[in-house]
């Protein structure tokens, strides 16, 4: 996906602006790669990290992925305005500019088959009598 100001790729344009604004605000949106180390540092054990492709629309043929895709698309489209409004309005964007950006992304979703890489990271607290070994 292209990231930057590019009318032919509104999704990349959206992420370029929103992720950049989040980074400048000191609240980066891309944090998954550091979560495993944070959990281990906080004392969790048996920490597991895995990724999976998560469709953002009902386009997959697989029944389970199709269902995930419906929810993924809904979550993505529902979050466009809140993220953009919160982050871009602080940088001087007007509500009309934000609406136009979000509308262009919605139109692009109707034309393509998009997915993201979902990160799943979990662990457990050690039992009270369990000895933790440094790995």
């Amino acid at each position: 996906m292209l990231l930057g100001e590019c009318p032919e790729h509104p999704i990349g344009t959206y992420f370029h602006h929103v992720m950049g604004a989040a980074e400048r605000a000191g609240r980066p949106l891309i944090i998954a790669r550091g979560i495993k180390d944070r959990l281990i540092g906080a004392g969790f054990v048996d920490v597991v990290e895995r990724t999976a492709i998560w469709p953002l629309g009902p386009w997959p043929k697989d029944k389970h992925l199709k269902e995930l895709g419906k929810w993924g698309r809904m979550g993505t489209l529902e979050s466009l305005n809140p993220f953009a409004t919160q982050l871009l309005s602080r940088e001087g964007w007007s509500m009309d500019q934000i609406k136009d950006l979000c509308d262009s992304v919605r139109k692009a979703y109707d034309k393509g088959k998009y997915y993201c890489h979902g990160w799943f990271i979990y662990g457990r607290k050690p039992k009270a009598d369990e000895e933790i070994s440094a790995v």
Side-chain angles (χ1 to χ4, degrees):
M1 176 184 309
L2 299 174
L3 293 181
E5 188 67 45
C6 183
E8 298 84 33
H9 301 283
I11 296 169
T13 299
Y14 176 90
F15 282 114
H16 168 74
H17 290 297
V18 170
M19 289 169 40
E23 192 74 35
R24 289 186 291 278
R27 306 294 286 181
L29 297 176
I30 305 293
I31 62 167
R33 286 189 172 98
I35 297 294
K36 181 179 180 179
D37 291 337
R38 287 182 181 184
L39 286 175
I40 292 169
F44 285 80
V45 296
D46 298 333
V47 177
V48 175
E49 174 183 69
R50 67 180 182 86
T51 62
I53 291 177
W54 193 320
L56 300 174
W59 52 267
K61 292 180 181 176
D62 177 83
K63 187 177 180 178
H64 177 69
L65 291 176
K66 185 178 284 296
E67 183 69 17
L68 281 178
K70 288 177 188 177
W71 289 102
R73 183 180 192 279
M74 183 180 73
T76 300
L77 295 180
E78 290 291 323
S79 66
L80 290 175
N81 279 332
F83 275 101
T85 300
Q86 176 67 23
L87 293 163
L88 299 178
S89 63
R90 291 179 177 191
E91 295 197 345
W93 285 53
S94 72
M95 291 309 292
D96 286 339
Q97 289 172 307
I98 293 168
K99 182 183 180 310
D100 289 345
L101 178 65
C102 293
D103 286 347
S104 69
V105 172
R106 281 188 189 84
K107 288 177 189 169
Y109 264 92
D110 290 339
K111 297 177 186 173
K113 295 179 178 180
Y114 298 99
Y115 66 92
C116 66
H117 292 275
W119 289 68
F120 304 90
I121 306 145
Y122 56 91
R124 66 175 179 85
K125 288 185 176 183
K127 297 174 184 164
D129 61 345
E130 186 174 7
E131 192 172 311
I132 302 170
S133 63
V135 178

